[in-house]
Amino acid sequence: MSRPAHITSIALAAFRNHRLSRLVAGDAPFVLLTGPNGAGKTNVLEALSLLAPGRGLRGAALSDMGRAGGEGGFTLAATLVTDPALGDVQFRSWTSADAPERRRLTVNGAASALSGLGQWLSLLWLTPAMDRLFTDAASGRRRFLDRLVLALSPAHGTHAARYDAALRARNRLLAADAAPDPAWMAALEAQMAEHGALVADARSATVAALSAQIAATPEGLFPRPGLLLAGDVPGVDLAAALKAGRAADRAAGRTLAGPHRADLLVRHVAKDMPAAQASTGEQKALLIATLLAHAALVAERTGQAPLLLLDEAVAHLDAGRRAALFERAAAIGGQCWMTGTDAALFDALAAARFQVEDGVIMPG
């Protein structure tokens, strides 16, 4: 039995369009935010997503998150309960006007590294921008996959960041007018090989485990997705491949081999077609099915159900699929925060309900 993670309260100061907002959800398994477009519903989910390592569900710069017209900094405070016997966990994270791209964090009043957030809870999210996941560039699917991996392997973010740093440095050498220093290239390639192998292994293991979880889940009203990781094969001697490819990479002006070239290929199993060729509604259903299966996998593997942030997730679902979504999210056992413009779509959902208008949160 997994332990639920509940955000019992959240407070925002000068965050996006929220001047000063506070929401108390208690131990509600579902938290619903409704209101018109632009009211600030997604901003609340974005703030919550900052309780995970990384740049949040929009991938935005921290300086863009401060309230428009404010002094450039914001503050986020949240209370987490994972085990009533252990008490509350208090998070406070903020930026300041003099360092708008530097975010600081305290946990129970003590300074903490942002990379350590994964030890407290895992978060998974869906946003309307992800509706194009299967038709957009491979980079978006890699980011999606890495978020799934991170929920199972918190160290994955560190390895991916170190690989990316070495990759950027190597690409700069490749693009320079002078021939790159072989010793410096070899050092960067060794770093890419070390961390790239760990990135590739973690991705491969996650796709394999998730595929098994999907296969064991009754299809129901959501189509079964088939997953395949392409271009990211574990066990390849990446250092040797990079050394052999230096001339071709220099001609191209970029590195042509490595896990940064990977892609997550998804198929609609029942129709035996790539997800990109499925209808818009089917693509949304495949994405939801993938996320729900992964949430169940995280709960099973880690013993703690992840927090789900579902932004406008039901907008294009019929009544049957909405009910199936609510049922499967509840079965995972964690907390699910949802947004929507039409409150009537959630009539069948027992939830703590809030209305958001112009950056103001009200019980509703």
Side-chain angles (χ1 to χ4, degrees):
M1 176 69 69
S2 62
R3 294 178 287 109
H6 287 87
I7 298 293
T8 58
S9 67
I10 180 172
L12 306 176
F15 187 86
R16 298 284 190 183
N17 70 334
H18 290 267
R19 185 182 66 80
L20 190 63
S21 294
R22 188 165 190 265
L23 182 158
V24 178
D27 60 357
F30 285 91
V31 181
L32 176 62
L33 307 172
T34 57
N37 292 326
K41 307 181 299 298
T42 302
N43 296 340
V44 176
L45 298 194
E46 182 180 33
L48 287 171
S49 73
L50 295 179
L51 298 177
R55 294 167 62 96
L57 59 78
R58 284 189 173 110
L62 290 171
S63 56
D64 291 337
M65 298 181 192
R67 180 175 167 83
E71 297 181 352
F74 67 82
T75 301
L76 156 68
T79 302
L80 170 72
V81 175
T82 58
D83 186 337
L86 299 178
D88 298 344
V89 181
Q90 303 288 342
F91 297 99
R92 183 174 180 269
S93 188
W94 70 98
T95 64
S96 58
D98 58 346
E101 291 296 343
R102 180 190 175 200
R103 183 159 71 95
R104 286 170 283 186
L105 171 72
T106 62
V107 180
N108 291 333
S112 178
L114 294 170
S115 58
L117 281 167
Q119 69 179 295
W120 296 104
L121 77 165
S122 60
L123 291 99
L124 301 172
W125 55 73
L126 285 180
T127 68
M130 294 167 66
D131 289 353
R132 302 185 298 274
L133 186 73
F134 302 131
T135 56
D136 278 353
S139 58
R141 291 185 289 278
R142 283 195 298 274
R143 287 192 295 272
F144 174 70
L145 174 58
D146 284 338
R147 174 57 56 186
L148 302 186
V149 176
L150 195 62
L152 293 169
S153 278
H156 178 71
T158 298
H159 295 304
R162 290 177 179 173
Y163 174 87
D164 287 343
L167 171 65
R168 289 193 298 271
R170 185 177 187 270
N171 284 343
R172 285 195 295 270
L173 290 181
L174 291 170
D177 292 336
D181 177 2
W184 183 226
M185 287 288 281
L188 292 173
E189 289 163 358
Q191 184 174 349
M192 290 174 64
E194 176 188 354
H195 295 289
L198 294 169
V199 167
D201 287 344
R203 285 174 175 171
S204 181
T206 296
V207 170
L210 181 54
S211 295
Q213 183 75 30
I214 290 170
T217 303
E219 186 167 357
L221 294 178
F222 287 99
R224 178 168 287 128
L227 310 180
L228 176 66
L229 182 60
D232 200 2
V233 182
V236 170
D237 187 343
L238 182 57
L242 291 170
K243 182 178 180 180
R246 286 177 188 173
D249 291 351
R250 186 163 169 77
R254 65 188 188 280
T255 302
L256 300 175
H260 63 286
R261 306 279 290 178
D263 196 359
L264 178 65
L265 306 181
V266 181
R267 295 186 67 81
H268 188 308
V269 172
K271 292 190 173 182
D272 191 24
M273 68 165 58
Q277 296 178 11
S279 70
T280 301
E282 287 174 326
Q283 290 185 39
K284 183 69 169 274
L286 287 165
L287 186 57
I288 290 173
T290 302
L291 187 85
L292 292 175
H294 184 66
L297 176 65
V298 170
E300 179 183 306
R301 290 285 185 90
T302 68
Q304 180 173 298
L307 199 74
L308 297 179
L309 308 178
L310 306 182
D311 189 21
E312 295 287 354
V314 306
H316 302 293
L317 300 181
D318 57 35
R321 279 186 174 160
R322 289 199 301 272
L325 171 59
F326 301 154
E327 181 180 355
R328 287 185 59 180
I332 292 165
Q335 191 181 44
C336 181
W337 290 62
M338 309 183 77
T339 70
T341 54
D342 186 356
L345 298 178
F346 301 89
D347 283 347
L349 180 66
R353 295 172 180 262
F354 299 88
Q355 180 77 14
V356 184
E357 293 185 13
D358 294 328
V360 177
I361 303 174
M362 301 165 287

